[in-house]
Amino acid sequence: MPETDLRQRIGERFREVNGDHPMTGADDAYVSTRFVALEKLCAVRGRDADEVRRLMLGRRLPLPGYLRSDGAEMVPGDLFALADEAGGVELLEAWFTAHWADPVAGKAEWDAYLSGQYVCLHSVTPAAIRRKDHLTAAISASEDEPDAGSVPWSGRLHALVDELDVLEPEFTAYDRLRFGGPTSRDTCIDAVRARFPRP
């Protein structure tokens, strides 16, 4: 299949997953500082970009995190790291899903990983995904703790928020469009810090 057709199919799949939202100049600038164009990454890593696109379309590697307004397929710089750690693309799914004791949860996380939407982490690994899930759940449940509002409680809460802050990037306006509302940074970091200032 010619490169233009593969790029078109990637674009179509991307919009199926994310909706069709415009990227602004600010979105492009954000993405360009945190992600790399697929063609450039493949050139540096000695990979064939069309073969990588086929792997994406075949649900063996994740879709791009963003399509820049010029059409560039923007991917994380460590796009191939998990496949390398797993021993190859053909072993990646089994290696990835094995990080969850519940096979159903592992399959759901694999589907989420393939969507390319894990732009909520600086580095997308099973350990980081699990830790983010733990932190967001703990932060969301913190108000129900018996000592909520106390100084010790505040210390625990801000330790959780600070750890999540290290895992997550800033996000961009495009993310709030495709996710249909606030990001986890908005709700579990910025809003919590504003509502519960450090003592």
Side-chain angles (χ1 to χ4, degrees):
M1 182 177 295
E3 175 187 349
T4 52
D5 290 345
L6 287 169
R7 287 181 68 111
Q8 181 178 344
R9 286 183 60 194
I10 290 288
E12 290 168 354
R13 177 77 65 81
F14 181 89
R15 283 182 281 277
E16 285 173 10
V17 170
N18 295 284
D20 194 4
H21 308 291
M23 288 281 282
T24 66
D27 294 329
D28 283 344
Y30 170 89
V31 169
S32 296
T33 61
R34 290 163 176 81
F35 292 78
V36 61
L38 177 62
E39 295 279 353
K40 181 177 180 181
L41 180 65
C42 288
V44 170
R45 294 293 305 273
R47 305 257 186 162
D48 179 86
D50 282 349
E51 178 56 27
V52 172
R53 291 184 182 103
R54 289 186 188 95
L55 290 169
M56 290 175 170
L57 292 168
R59 293 178 50 82
R60 307 289 292 282
L61 284 175
L63 290 171
Y66 299 90
L67 289 184
R68 212 167 50 192
S69 60
D70 64 0
E73 303 140 314
M74 303 302 288
V75 298
D78 63 355
L79 175 65
F80 306 117
L82 291 189
D84 291 345
E85 188 173 345
V89 172
E90 65 281 357
L91 301 175
L92 179 56
E93 180 177 1
W95 176 88
F96 185 100
T97 57
H99 286 80
W100 282 266
D102 177 2
V104 174
K107 178 65 166 61
E109 291 295 353
W110 173 249
D111 289 341
Y113 170 69
L114 289 178
S115 75
Q117 290 188 336
Y118 262 122
V119 297
C120 55
L121 292 167
H122 287 295
S123 181
V124 182
T125 66
I129 292 168
R130 293 180 64 182
R131 190 62 185 161
K132 182 208 167 193
D133 287 347
H134 170 79
L135 291 169
T136 54
I139 291 166
S140 298
S142 63
E143 286 188 69
D144 296 328
E145 293 178 15
D147 63 342
S150 69
V151 172
W153 172 86
S154 179
R156 294 194 309 272
L157 174 62
H158 282 282
L160 295 170
V161 171
D162 291 347
E163 185 179 350
L164 184 61
D165 191 8
V166 172
L167 290 178
E168 292 200 339
E170 293 299 317
F171 293 95
T172 189
Y174 172 84
D175 293 317
R176 293 168 180 90
L177 293 176
R178 69 163 155 188
F179 296 137
T183 65
S184 53
R185 171 167 286 279
D186 297 330
T187 58
C188 291
I189 299 175
D190 297 338
V192 173
R193 285 174 171 166
R195 188 173 177 195
F196 304 109
R198 295 178 192 273

